[in-house]
Amino acid sequence: MTRRQAWGLVGLLAAAVIAWLVFAVWPDWLNAILISKKAFVSAILNGITLAGLYFLVASGFTLIFGLMRNVNLAHGSLYLLGAYIGYEVTNRTGYWLLGVAAGFAVLAIVGVVMQVFVFRRLEGDDLRQTLVSIGISIVAADLMLAVWAGGTYQITTPEWLDGALTLPIITAVRSNGASVFLTYPLYRVVVLAAAIVIGVGLWLMLHRTRVGMMIRAGVDDRAMLQASGVNVHAVFAIVFAVGAGLAGFAGVVGGSALSVAPGEDVRYLLASLVVVIVGGMGSISGAAIGALLIGLAEQIGLVYFPTYGIVLTFVIMVVTLAVRPQGIMGKAR
């Protein structure tokens, strides 16, 4: 048996165990160990849907930082600004989808402005990019605090996204023999579906289109791409716009699921950094894997290790860096 076949077998066994834990009726001793089946399955589902939100933020970050090598530590500020814009547009118009579109469009424009007037002038200078982007994030945080104060906002979702789905997962069996099925918020399922669709779309764009070919070529050999007649600056501006727009989109989506408040920019910047480091720089599939690992670690830790749950995230990052420094799906350079 080859090493790849062995890992495949381990993966199948792990999938079988997880499927049994999710769909089987638990014996009493297992409920005693893992609190309850409802708590366990809810933690898994919350971790997967949180991973979807992390992926939406990190996918834009991996395009900018992983592919273009632009150290944009203001990415969290783009997320928070998109959330505030989505909140204002939704509140003033009453249309949530319009708020989502505004969050993406406005932040895409902001991304183009940042790329043209800031990062284009600092190409190849990682230290200056880091310092300037930190300065931008500090200024942006103070400006947002001045405009929206320090309160917590919630973006109102439309009625068709309210409610819960009844999933085919039995959490308990009543004394009369009737099964109790798990219910789960519809909105979180929609966020996960959106993350999957966007992830597949980004992967297809990068690996199956001419634009994606130009982006990857520009990263690997910019001089040769420019010599072939391609406007490299325009390509990189488009990539930056998509990355910043995805951050704004994630801000509206995340602000609808959770909340909008000062400090969320730092949280999602750190999450994006960890996801990209674990998954591998410049890899969309790596960002998805990293987001899934970090989302599950956070939610499982919240249920079973509430005091030390945050440590799980950094354990995953440290182990990944020790075993595979370029990330799970990253390429050594």
Side-chain angles (χ1 to χ4, degrees), residues 52-64:
L53 180 58
Y54 280 169
F55 173 77
L56 289 174
V57 185
S59 59
F61 190 73
T62 198
L63 286 175
I64 296 171

Side-chain angles (χ1 to χ4, degrees), residues 88-301:
E88 290 293 340
V89 173
T90 302
N91 255 22
R92 294 175 187 275
T93 64
Y95 292 101
W96 180 77
L97 289 175
L98 194 58
V100 173
F104 179 88
V106 173
L107 268 296
I109 296 171
V110 172
V112 172
V113 172
M114 289 178 63
Q115 203 281 327
V116 171
F117 292 102
V118 179
F119 288 96
R120 186 175 296 179
R121 302 171 184 271
L122 305 175
E123 287 177 354
D125 195 335
D126 295 344
L127 179 59
R128 290 178 68 193
Q129 288 179 2
T130 302
L131 295 176
V132 170
S133 61
I134 289 175
I136 291 173
S137 68
I138 293 172
V139 172
D142 286 342
L143 289 175
M144 287 186 283
L145 188 62
V147 174
W148 286 285
T152 300
Y153 300 93
Q154 182 77 41
I155 301 174
T156 306
T157 55
E159 292 183 1
W160 55 273
L161 283 177
D162 288 339
L165 293 175
T166 301
L167 303 178
I169 299 174
I170 300 174
T171 57
V173 179
R174 294 194 178 98
S175 57
N176 60 1
S179 299
V180 178
F181 291 92
L182 180 70
T183 58
Y184 198 73
L186 172 62
Y187 183 78
R188 285 180 171 267
V189 177
V190 172
V191 171
L192 178 61
I196 293 172
V197 170
I198 290 174
V200 172
L202 287 175
W203 188 91
L204 290 174
M205 182 195 76
L206 288 174
H207 295 88
R208 294 292 185 268
T209 66
R210 182 176 176 80
V211 174
M213 179 184 68
M214 289 190 294
I215 292 170
R216 289 182 285 114
V219 172
D220 294 333
D221 195 338
R222 176 176 177 175
M224 183 61 70
L225 181 66
Q226 197 162 9
S228 65
V230 176
N231 188 337
V232 177
H233 288 309
V235 172
F236 279 12
I238 291 171
V239 175
F240 214 104
V242 173
L246 285 173
F249 174 84
V252 183
V253 171
S256 303
L258 303 171
S259 61
V260 184
E264 293 294 296
D265 50 347
V266 178
R267 174 190 172 185
Y268 284 96
L269 173 63
L270 291 177
S272 299
L273 281 169
V274 174
V275 166
V276 171
I277 290 170
V278 172
M281 291 176 60
S283 172
I284 297 298
S285 55
I289 294 172
L292 183 62
L293 290 175
I294 300 306
L296 287 172
E298 279 195 18
Q299 293 302 309
I300 291 174

